[in-house]
Amino acid sequence: QVQLQESGPGLVKPSETLSLTCTVSGGSINGYYWTWIRQTPGKGLEWIGHIFPSGTTTYNPSLKSRVAISVDTSKNQFSLRLTSVTAADTAVYYCARDNYGATTPYHFDFWGHGTLVTVSS
Amino acid sequence: DIQMTQSPSSLSASVGDRVSISCRASQSINTYLNWYQQKAGKAPKLLIYAASIVQTGVPSRFSGSGSGTDFTLAISSLQPEDFATYYCQQSLSTPKTFGQGTKVEL
C-alpha cells in the first residue's frame, strides 16, 4: 500500500519561503506524476502543480512565479518551495499521487494526511 | 481554467436515503471527472474516477455518471459513515480544478 507523508515547518513568516517534502513509501516514485494540492476554507482545494520523476513539472499559473517542485528519486521524495508567502498562503498542504491507466484518465488515488502551514509573524 | 460547479452546496439527508450530487464543468471534459469524499480533518479519498469507475474498496452504493459537462455522484442508501463533504475534480487539463464541495449532513 502506497503511503505519502508530508513534512516541514508549520509556521512560516510573511515574505519568507515555504518548504515541504513528501516521502513516498510502499511503492516506487517512478512512473507517476506527484502532486501538491492545498486547501483553504475560502478557496477550497487548489492544485499547485506536479512533477514526473524525470523532473518535468507543470504549475498552476496562479502560483507559477513563486512555486518550484523538485524530486529526489533516490530518496523517494518530492518537494515544494513557495516563495514570498503571505497570509493567503496559509492552508493545509497535501501531497498526492496522480495515477492513470492505458484507458483511464488521471486521478489522485493516494494522498498524504496533510500538513497545516500558517503564515504569520 | 475549467470551472467546476457543484450543486447543492449542502444537503440534509437521513440514513437510508438516496442522495445525488451534481457537478457541472464550464466546458466539455469528456469523462475526465473524478469524485472524492472528505471527512473532517482528513485528506480527500478517491471514490470514482473517469466519471463512473468505482475505486477499489469503495462500497457499491456509490456510483457516478455523466459525460461532457454534466456529472452526477449518487449514493444509493446513505450510511452513517457517508456524512462528509464530496468534491468533483476535472483531470482533462491543467490547472486541475475542483468543485467547491457538497456537504452531506444529517
Side-chain angles (χ1 to χ4, degrees):
Chain A
Q1 177 82 340
V2 174
Q3 294 184 316
L4 292 81
Q5 178 67 57
E6 304 91 349
S7 58
L11 181 64
V12 181
K13 290 182 168 56
S15 80
E16 295 192 346
T17 296
L18 179 160
S19 295
L20 295 173
T21 294
C22 182
T23 301
V24 180
S25 58
S28 174
I29 202 168
N30 293 313
Y32 300 94
Y33 278 96
W34 300 92
T35 300
W36 286 99
I37 295 164
R38 68 182 184 179
Q39 185 172 31
T40 61
K43 293 189 71 175
L45 289 160
E46 181 180 28
W47 181 83
I48 298 171
H50 67 201
I51 189 165
F52 200 72
S54 63
T56 301
T57 53
T58 306
Y59 301 127
N60 193 321
S62 68
L63 299 168
K64 190 173 183 177
S65 63
R66 299 194 293 128
V67 69
I69 299 175
S70 58
V71 64
D72 186 337
T73 56
S74 68
K75 295 182 179 179
N76 249 28
Q77 292 178 334
F78 63 106
S79 299
L80 170 70
R81 282 173 52 90
L82 184 65
T83 62
S84 305
V85 297
T86 70
D89 295 310
T90 294
V92 175
Y93 286 77
Y94 295 101
C95 55
R97 188 178 81 168
D98 204 357
N99 195 6
Y100 66 98
T103 58
T104 56
Y106 289 94
H107 48 279
F108 304 122
D109 60 348
F110 290 102
W111 296 64
H113 295 298
T115 186
L116 174 63
V117 178
T118 301
V119 178
S120 175
S121 56
Chain B
D1 299 4
I2 298 175
Q3 307 301 317
M4 307 301 294
T5 304
Q6 290 181 232
S7 61
S9 296
S10 65
L11 66 89
S12 296
S14 300
V15 173
D17 285 353
R18 177 178 175 84
V19 168
S20 292
I21 299 169
S22 294
C23 177
R24 176 165 288 178
S26 61
Q27 66 185 73
S28 177
I29 57 171
N30 197 341
T31 56
Y32 288 66
L33 190 282
N34 307 316
W35 289 98
Y36 302 87
Q37 175 194 66
Q38 186 177 33
K39 297 181 180 179
K42 302 291 187 182
K45 171 190 171 183
L46 177 68
L47 296 177
I48 305 279
Y49 62 98
S52 62
I53 302 175
V54 180
Q55 172 71 340
T56 302
V58 172
S60 58
R61 62 181 180 273
F62 290 92
S63 63
S65 62
S67 67
T69 61
D70 292 306
F71 302 87
T72 301
L73 172 69
I75 309 172
S76 60
S77 178
L78 201 64
Q79 297 302 299
E81 60 268 30
D82 300 336
F83 291 95
T85 302
Y86 294 84
Y87 296 92
C88 60
Q89 174 250 327
Q90 65 82 17
S91 61
L92 177 68
S93 63
T94 60
K96 301 190 181 185
T97 47
F98 293 82
Q100 81 280 15
T102 296
K103 188 172 185 179
V104 177
E105 302 174 294
L106 184 63

